[in-house]
Amino acid sequence: MKKAMKIVLIILSLIILIVGYFYWKGYQLKKGYEANEIQYTKKRLPADINFPKSIDSTLISRGKRLSNTLHCTYCHGDLLQGRETEERVSPNLTKVRHQYSNAELVKAIRYGINKDGALIGGDMPSAESYYHLNDTDIKAIVAYIRSLPNLSNENIPSTYGNKNGTSIFDLIRGGYANVFLGWEPNVDEFVYSSPRPAYPSDGIMRYGQYLSQTHCARCHGENLSGENGYWETADLAVGAGYSLDQFERLLREGKALGDRDIGFMTKLAKGYLSHLTDSEIQAIHSYLKKRADSSREN
Ligand code: HEC
Ligand code: HEC
């Protein structure tokens, strides 16, 4: 009997050692991965943005509208007062803003790096979308964040981020894959293209491209050709098949051709994209049409 106990104990400790080793390996990998991501992100940092001394109310109301169309409000709450959903906890921006300079807020939004120089988790779409925001729009958002009253939000925990982030099991699995399959996280996916031109002043097409990049890329992919991961989305060429009226209906009421509700897109359109102006919707539509035409020619 005693012998059997001993054997069980030995086997148990072996298992704990092995699992512990994989966990440690996975943790090291994750740290290395994050360090690389930050390093690449730093390469993208722009020249400083000059903020005007006095902020006029047009800039603030532009920022307010952007906070809706870019659906910051979906995650951070209607007045950016913080919000907890099933997937994530997004901080109360009226509280944390005091710890940030304007330039640091820009860095947080565009580059997804917080004031401590760490990556902002929780799938905030900086890399795919907000990175492309031009100086005027990013200033407008910062001005809007500054203009809000202090809102307390007792419901928001002090630790936040993606609830479906790296679990202990993910780490163990990652460590296991690394030891036995020689698997490494793919760092190259964080090498970004060079910055886009600052402001699309040359016509509706460029404006449409800018709006699509900043508003649609989070889910339809950085080059708008659809995603096949967490989001399973179509190439935005689909939108080129819509007439302008139909396209407006999609972005305002969330109704796709044939009167279909299409999951999260319907929710996003109704609550957030519906704040886009007529001319913005028109610009996106024109751009998607042009994009589809030129990809047919190639
Ligand atoms: C998909 C959800 C999501 C969207 C959309 C989103 N955020 Fe976030 N954001 C988060 C989460 C989650 C965090 C905290 C993540 C962490 O660090 O763990 C965060 C962190 C931040 C921070 C840093 C706060 C701090 O505590 O240091 C700022 C600033 C911020 N977001 C601004 C914005 C703005 C402005 C927009 C829109 C342009 C936006 N976010 C859109 C989820 C989102
Ligand atoms: C938060 C994620 C998200 C964002 C941001 C987003 N979409 Fe979507 N979109 C979806 C999902 C999910 C679907 C449904 C799956 C599919 O058919 O691609 C969808 C579907 C679509 C479709 C297909 C409609 C059809 O006929 O089936 C079009 C067109 C579209 N989106 C346009 C846009 C445009 C334009 C933007 C930016 C202004 C945008 N989406 C931003 C998630 C998003």
Side-chain angles (χ1 to χ4, degrees), residues 128-267:
E128 324 82 293
S129 290
Y130 305 155
Y131 167 58
H132 300 277
L133 283 169
N134 64 44
D135 288 1
T136 310
D137 284 347
I138 200 106
K139 273 185 219 173
I141 296 169
V142 170
Y144 175 59
I145 294 174
R146 294 271 183 236
S147 77
L148 288 162
N150 288 324
L151 299 163
S152 69
N153 190 342
E154 304 298 329
N155 298 325
I156 291 300
S158 55
T159 53
Y160 38 70
N162 202 336
K163 292 188 191 167
N164 313 322
T166 329
S167 70
I168 200 173
F169 298 108
D170 289 335
L171 289 177
I172 293 170
R173 217 175 23 232
Y176 171 84
N178 178 249
V179 170
F180 283 107
L181 312 173
W183 173 83
E184 290 282 347
N186 180 9
V187 184
D188 289 344
E189 65 187 72
F190 291 104
V191 185
Y192 302 103
S193 50
S194 59
R196 309 280 149 118
Y199 200 77
S201 53
D202 51 345
I204 185 173
M205 278 321 158
R206 291 290 313 262
Y207 194 46
Q209 178 179 24
Y210 169 75
L211 290 168
S212 316
Q213 194 72 58
T214 47
H215 286 75
C216 321
R218 171 180 171 213
C219 313
H220 290 275
E222 194 161 15
N223 54 11
L224 312 178
S225 53
E227 284 234 327
N228 205 355
Y230 177 79
W231 296 104
E232 292 196 1
T233 49
D235 188 309
L236 281 188
V238 176
Y242 280 59
S243 72
L244 180 58
D245 281 351
Q246 290 163 337
F247 193 67
E248 261 185 39
R249 185 143 191 264
L250 172 68
L251 296 199
R252 289 254 155 78
E253 297 161 39
K255 289 283 181 196
L257 280 186
D259 221 24
R260 283 171 301 137
D261 281 339
I262 46 170
F264 198 80
M265 181 68 195
T266 295
K267 183 172 176 172

Side-chain angles (χ1 to χ4, degrees), residues 80-154:
L80 308 178
Q81 77 281 28
R83 181 164 182 239
E84 180 169 13
T85 63
E86 248 168 59
E87 291 98 25
R88 68 186 78 74
V89 182
S90 312
N92 178 349
L93 298 184
T94 75
K95 194 168 158 200
V96 301
R97 65 182 169 191
H98 305 299
Q99 303 157 17
Y100 280 83
S101 68
N102 288 340
E104 282 168 339
L105 275 178
V106 170
K107 201 158 126 185
I109 300 165
R110 266 196 183 149
Y111 302 99
I113 293 192
N114 73 14
K115 59 175 190 311
D116 305 323
L119 282 178
I120 291 177
D123 64 8
M124 182 164 132
S126 295
E128 324 82 293
S129 290
Y130 305 155
Y131 167 58
H132 300 277
L133 283 169
N134 64 44
D135 288 1
T136 310
D137 284 347
I138 200 106
K139 273 185 219 173
I141 296 169
V142 170
Y144 175 59
I145 294 174
R146 294 271 183 236
S147 77
L148 288 162
N150 288 324
L151 299 163
S152 69
N153 190 342
E154 304 298 329

